[in-house]
Amino acid sequence: MKKYIALILSCMLLVAQCSLVSASETEQYEMVEMNNDDIFTTSSQEEVAPCLLYIANIYTSIIKISSNQVGIRAETVCSETVKSITVTYTLQKWNGSQWVRVASKTASASNVAQTVKSYTITGVSSGKYRTKATASVTGYNGYTESLTGYSGSITI
């Protein structure tokens, strides 16, 4: 008798799963491969996008170390060795309407292709924080460019 009840319950479970799958498949999408990318080329010309010679990217992060201390980190990566990289590392706090600077440090490096710095900031109060890093890179030809990166936010 127990085998029959188990079999019936298994069948009911199988039928219930099938009905859930068919209910979620009511929307259908069609994906068609494009022969050319003209629409992307046209739309990207209308947008403002930075065109950088040296800076490949800026990676930023923030972590909570304790109830009154956070750690921030930023890495600037260049496509080649440059004359100098100057980065301003900033801790920002959300005041309810905008991000405001809480603390910042500036560091420079010469004849490098990347920089990485980490800082700990003590004395933070409860609130929402993020990291901002602004890198200014100068090549050997004298050309200078800048890029700013932001981390996600954390709540203390």
Side-chain angles (χ1 to χ4, degrees):
M1 182 68 174
K2 290 181 182 179
K3 290 181 183 180
Y4 293 118
I5 293 174
L7 180 63
I8 291 172
L9 289 176
S10 298
C11 290
M12 289 175 58
L13 183 60
L14 183 61
V15 170
Q17 288 178 343
C18 292
S19 64
L20 291 175
V21 170
S22 65
S24 66
E25 294 179 352
T26 58
E27 295 182 21
Q28 293 184 0
Y29 299 93
E30 181 181 6
M31 184 180 293
V32 179
E33 183 178 350
M34 295 174 53
N35 291 331
N36 59 35
D37 291 334
D38 289 343
I39 62 171
F40 296 107
T41 306
T42 304
S43 64
S44 66
Q45 290 174 351
E46 297 169 3
E47 299 173 1
V48 176
C51 183
L52 301 172
L53 181 63
Y54 298 119
I55 303 174
N57 210 341
I58 298 177
Y59 303 99
T60 59
S61 59
I62 184 170
I63 60 166
K64 176 182 175 181
I65 297 173
S66 68
S67 62
N68 70 341
Q69 188 177 39
V70 297
I72 65 171
R73 180 182 188 275
E75 177 179 4
T76 304
V77 180
C78 296
S79 59
E80 62 185 68
T81 301
V82 294
K83 184 177 181 181
S84 68
I85 302 175
T86 301
V87 183
T88 301
Y89 304 85
T90 305
L91 176 67
Q92 295 182 320
K93 183 177 183 179
W94 182 251
N95 71 1
S97 61
Q98 64 182 357
W99 291 100
V100 294
R101 184 180 65 82
V102 175
S104 69
K105 286 267 190 186
T106 300
S108 296
S110 299
N111 303 318
V112 293
Q114 75 178 47
T115 61
V116 178
K117 286 274 189 195
S118 300
Y119 295 98
T120 57
I121 297 102
T122 306
V124 296
S125 58
S126 62
K128 191 175 181 180
Y129 293 89
R130 75 175 181 183
T131 303
K132 174 184 175 184
T134 302
S136 179
V137 174
T138 302
Y140 292 104
N141 61 0
Y143 175 75
T144 300
E145 63 188 17
S146 296
L147 185 64
T148 300
Y150 298 92
S151 70
S153 62
I154 62 168
T155 302
I156 304 292

